[in-house]
Amino acid sequence: MKYVFREIRTFFRDNTLIAIITIVLTSISVFVIHFSFAIMAQYEMARQIREGHTTFADIQDSPYEFSCKFKNSEDDYVTKADMDECLDKIIKNIDTLKECGNTIGIVTMGSEKVDWHYEIPMDFEFKIELDKEGIKAPKEFFRNLIEGGFFGSHTDGWTDEQEAKGWNAALVWDHNKMDIPPGFTMPTWDAYPTGVVIVGNNYYHIGGWQTYSVNPIVPYSSLDDDFKMDSIVITFNEYISEASFGHLYNIFTDKFGDKIVLRSDSVKKAKRTMYSTVFAVAIAIVLLSVVNLVLLLSYFVEKRKKITRSYMLAGVNKRNMSMIYLSGYILITSIVYCVSLIIFVKLVLPKLETLLPYCSTLFSPVVYITIFLSFTLLVIVFGYISNLREFKKAGWG
């Protein structure tokens, strides 16, 4: 072992340039090979999510939205309070979503079988907008209703302040302007005592009329915390990226686990060819780095002919001589490797998760050790063979 440490000291003293190149190549290899694994992990997790959580194939979907339903039961269901927690996390991650190329538009939440005084209970929706400051009134939705001629008289929705306060006013179907759609029966106005709509346990004054939905439209913030929520649809003004999808998916699964079911094609299909190409290029760069490291080691061995012959005259055979040089070289690269890996895990990986939100899922101590041993084994095998060839060419041993 004393020979190994002596060679390390000699290596840095007499071969400064080779030492610097070795450090740089090793660091590049560490970053590239772990980045390539992150790419592979991202694709694999995205594939598992698509295959394991997409059972609502009958629901028409859009590449411009993240949408899911919840596996609710009578006694165990997603509440508005639960939804508020997820919305709060989305608000805190709005900048991250923008970095991934997406800006949130209208957020729609649904609930099933609420009694609107029709012949049968009806499904219905709530719409909001989100920004850094919190939950806002769905102004874009109201603007579209106005421009599309869906609003009745004396109303243009409600303000952000009214949304924040849980304004108890409903926009009700204007049956004077448009007939009730087939299959629906409009109740007599006696069903609305004193001109009030009952939503859950709350009473809402009629704040305006609209011809968009036969269901009354009420502010989301006015609902009770235990109100049952069955689905959510988050729309975007651009094609949703897989990174944006991943962040939203993680937010909801962290809260609800396997209680969420994605719609049939919510996640943008990964371009497998692109992932495979990037991974292949990364591996090629790592192999090239290993070859360069081995060439540097061979150059180092060739440069020290006189010292090597001295070892040989002292009775050290060429295999042991090769292992002395190689052991010192491996110790140097191992130290550089570990330092580079710490930098990758602490500084690079958290930033990488912005664009590859699943990438850290498959990383584990076993993975890190396996990659390290594979890299080191390549250097040992190629280096050992290269050194023996170098000795043979020089006529040693």
Side-chain angles (χ1 to χ4, degrees):
M1 198 65 183
K2 65 179 181 179
Y3 293 111
V4 173
F5 286 106
R6 186 167 65 185
E7 289 307 319
I8 292 176
R9 289 196 300 271
T10 304
F11 181 80
F12 278 98
R13 186 187 64 213
D14 300 338
N15 304 276
T16 306
L17 181 59
I18 295 178
I20 293 173
I21 296 175
T22 299
I23 291 172
V24 172
L25 283 176
T26 303
S27 298
I28 290 174
S29 298
V30 171
F31 289 124
V32 170
I33 196 169
H34 286 86
F35 174 74
S36 67
F37 185 86
I39 291 284
M40 185 184 71
Q42 173 74 14
Y43 170 75
E44 179 62 22
M45 288 303 298
R47 184 188 63 79
Q48 291 180 16
I49 290 170
R50 288 196 301 276
E51 293 179 355
H53 293 80
T54 54
T55 59
F56 281 81
D58 57 326
I59 303 177
Q60 185 177 0
D61 206 358
S62 166
Y64 293 89
E65 65 183 35
F66 172 93
S67 52
C68 64
K69 283 198 169 189
F70 305 115
K71 298 177 184 177
N72 288 328
S73 64
E74 193 67 31
D75 301 321
D76 182 21
Y77 55 86
V78 174
T79 65
K80 176 183 176 292
D82 295 328
M83 191 70 77
D84 286 343
E85 291 184 30
C86 292
L87 293 176
D88 184 58
K89 290 183 180 179
I90 294 172
I91 291 167
K92 292 177 180 177
N93 281 271
I94 278 192
D95 285 341
T96 300
L97 295 176
K98 288 182 179 179
E99 291 175 14
C100 298
N102 292 116
T103 302
I104 291 179
I106 299 171
V107 180
T108 302
M109 287 158 285
S111 185
E112 297 179 351
K113 309 213 181 314
V114 175
D115 187 1
W116 293 129
H117 306 291
Y118 297 116
E119 289 184 331
I120 58 174
M122 303 293 296
D123 297 349
F124 73 106
E125 300 175 343
F126 303 102
K127 297 181 183 296
I128 58 171
E129 291 181 11
L130 299 176
D131 63 20
K132 283 181 167 182
E133 298 176 2
I135 295 174
K136 300 297 179 67
K139 295 181 286 296
E140 182 181 350
F141 172 67
F142 294 148
R143 185 166 58 251
N144 292 338
L145 290 185
I146 294 172
E147 293 176 356
F150 292 104
F151 259 153
S153 57
H154 69 271
T155 184
D156 57 359
W158 51 82
T159 65
D160 291 337
E161 291 74 17
Q162 289 171 323
E163 175 69 52
K165 293 178 180 178
W167 190 51
N168 279 68
L171 305 181
V172 180
W173 179 264
D174 191 348
H175 65 289
N176 292 317
K177 286 195 171 184
M178 189 170 291
D179 294 335
I180 296 295
F184 297 91
T185 302
M186 191 68 188
T188 64
W189 288 111
D190 294 339
Y192 295 105
T194 64
V196 174
V197 180
I198 302 174
V199 182
N201 297 322
N202 297 334
Y203 289 81
Y204 293 77
H205 296 285
I206 297 176
W209 307 90
Q210 45 84 22
T211 56
Y212 166 78
S213 172
V214 292
N215 298 314
I217 302 172
V218 302
Y220 166 77
S221 300
S222 67
L223 301 174
D224 294 331
D225 285 345
D226 62 350
F227 195 88
K228 180 181 178 182
M229 310 302 294
D230 287 283
S231 64
I232 184 169
V233 178
I234 303 174
T235 57
F236 297 89
N237 296 322
E238 55 276 316
Y239 202 106
I240 181 172
S241 68
E242 190 166 289
S244 292
F245 177 90
H247 288 295
L248 294 173
Y249 175 81
N250 290 337
I251 288 172
F252 283 95
T253 52
D254 286 346
K255 176 63 181 175
F256 303 120
D258 61 0
K259 187 179 285 188
I260 74 165
V261 179
L262 305 179
R263 286 192 178 181
S264 59
D265 211 11
S266 286
V267 66
K268 178 181 178 181
K269 293 182 177 179
K271 296 179 180 178
R272 185 169 186 173
T273 302
M274 180 194 72
Y275 279 88
S276 300
T277 301
V278 172
F279 187 70
V281 169
I283 294 300
I285 293 174
V286 172
L287 290 175
L288 183 61
S289 299
V290 170
V291 171
N292 285 331
L293 288 172
V294 170
L295 290 176
L296 284 173
L297 177 58
S298 297
Y299 175 75
F300 169 72
V301 172
E302 193 275 336
K303 187 178 178 183
R304 307 191 71 217
K305 291 179 180 178
K306 291 182 180 180
I307 297 177
T308 302
R309 281 177 177 163
S310 298
Y311 278 120
M312 295 294 185
L313 292 173
V316 181
N317 63 43
K318 62 181 180 180
R319 286 187 173 82
N320 290 339
M321 191 70 251
S322 177
M323 290 308 300
I324 289 174
Y325 288 146
L326 192 57
S327 297
Y329 201 72
I330 290 299
L331 184 58
I332 293 169
T333 56
S334 296
I335 294 172
V336 176
Y337 188 104
C338 292
V339 173
S340 301
L341 181 59
I342 291 173
I343 295 173
F344 176 84
V345 172
K346 297 295 183 181
L347 300 179
V348 179
L349 190 57
K351 298 295 183 182
L352 198 58
E353 287 181 310
T354 299
L355 297 177
L356 304 174
Y358 308 125
C359 70
S360 64
T361 305
L362 296 183
F363 276 111
S364 67
V366 173
V367 169
Y368 289 124
I369 292 173
T370 301
I371 293 175
F372 170 73
L373 292 178
S374 300
F375 177 83
T376 304
L377 183 62
L378 284 174
V379 176
I380 291 174
V381 172
F382 290 137
Y384 183 73
I385 295 173
S386 177
N387 286 351
L388 292 183
R389 290 180 62 187
E390 197 67 44
F391 293 154
K392 187 176 181 180
K393 281 168 44 180
W396 300 331

